[in-house]
Amino acid sequence: MYDFMQTFFTSLTGQIVTALAALLGLLAIAGVTRKQDRNSVKAMVVSAICIALAMALSYVRVFRMPFGGSVTLFSMLFIVLIGYWYGTAQGILAGVTYGLLQLIADPYVVHPIQLLLDYPLAFGMLGLSGLVGRRPGGLYMGVIVGMLGRFLMHVLSGLAFFAMYTPEGWNPLAYSVVYNISYLGVEGMFTLLLLTVPQLKVAINRVRVAA
């Protein structure tokens, strides 16, 4: 099954199908924005820009793990921001869209459920930032909540489908936790440090007001 799925998602047909699914996800962001038509379009356009920036930065890797996952140059932040600006539903849809694009760019697939956990569901969880966006310190909390959601999806995937790679003497769950936190934790800390820059916080909150 691994060979078939890996071949499909690296083929032109597989990439076209996945790209169309990603496009539907982007259009759905406008559909769930229950405001004026102009605001719906604005949400879709801003989300598209953020997803494009996230994709570009995902190629700037500090280091890459052997079985998937890497520390990138703040790529996840742009998906978190969509949830922070427009709400949970829009954030999750943007994350799912981004996850599908990641599936086109760098697929690592061994099982259909693993595909769902590691791509659309994992990145969709970054949109959970919208759950805490209105609270004091919501931007920082949004980063933490979103990354914890993504972390949980990857841990479940690792436990179910990559347990064979567990080193001798390790518990599969403990190994999956350590493996995934070794890169998500690093990028999360870098992202939180970036958000302490006053000018960046001001710019992010200005966009939120305009949104």
Side-chain angles (χ1 to χ4, degrees):
M1 179 174 289
Y2 169 75
D3 290 337
F4 168 76
M5 295 190 68
Q6 189 73 12
T7 301
F8 175 77
F9 285 105
T10 54
S11 69
L12 179 61
T13 300
Q15 291 181 343
I16 290 174
V17 170
T18 309
L20 289 174
L23 178 60
L24 289 175
L26 190 59
L27 293 173
I29 294 173
V32 299
T33 305
R34 299 177 181 177
K35 296 181 181 180
Q36 299 175 1
D37 291 342
R38 181 179 177 182
N39 287 338
S40 298
V41 173
K42 182 192 296 183
M44 183 179 67
V45 171
V46 172
S47 297
I49 293 171
C50 286
I51 292 169
L53 289 170
M55 283 297 298
L57 291 176
S58 71
Y59 289 101
V60 185
R61 298 184 175 112
V62 179
F63 67 84
R64 184 172 184 173
M65 302 295 285
F67 306 116
S70 57
V71 176
T72 68
L73 191 65
F74 312 116
S75 63
M76 290 188 291
L77 174 61
F78 288 94
I79 308 302
V80 169
L81 287 175
I82 297 171
Y84 178 69
W85 287 331
Y86 294 105
T88 306
Q90 292 89 335
I92 291 175
L93 284 169
V96 169
T97 302
Y98 176 68
L100 291 172
L101 293 175
Q102 284 292 321
L103 183 59
I104 296 174
D106 192 17
Y108 193 100
V109 181
V110 299
H111 191 277
I113 297 177
Q114 173 264 327
L115 181 157
L116 290 173
L117 288 171
D118 280 337
Y119 289 95
L121 290 181
F123 290 106
M125 292 299 98
L126 295 173
L128 294 178
S129 56
L131 292 175
V132 293
R134 301 298 175 182
R135 298 182 181 181
L139 180 56
Y140 301 103
M141 293 174 62
V143 171
I144 294 170
V145 170
M147 290 191 175
L148 283 176
R150 181 186 170 189
F151 169 74
L152 177 61
M153 294 298 104
H154 288 318
V155 167
L156 292 175
S157 173
L159 181 61
F161 301 103
F162 297 100
M164 68 183 75
Y165 300 111
T166 302
E168 186 176 353
W170 278 75
N171 176 279
L173 176 59
Y175 178 65
S176 184
V177 167
V178 171
Y179 180 94
N180 286 289
I181 206 170
S182 65
Y183 67 94
L184 286 175
V186 172
E187 183 163 345
M189 288 189 293
F190 285 166
T191 302
L192 290 172
L193 285 173
L194 178 68
L195 292 175
T196 61
V197 177
Q199 294 87 345
L200 179 62
K201 288 173 60 179
V202 170
I204 289 172
N205 286 321
R206 282 181 178 174
V207 174
R208 185 180 184 181
V209 170

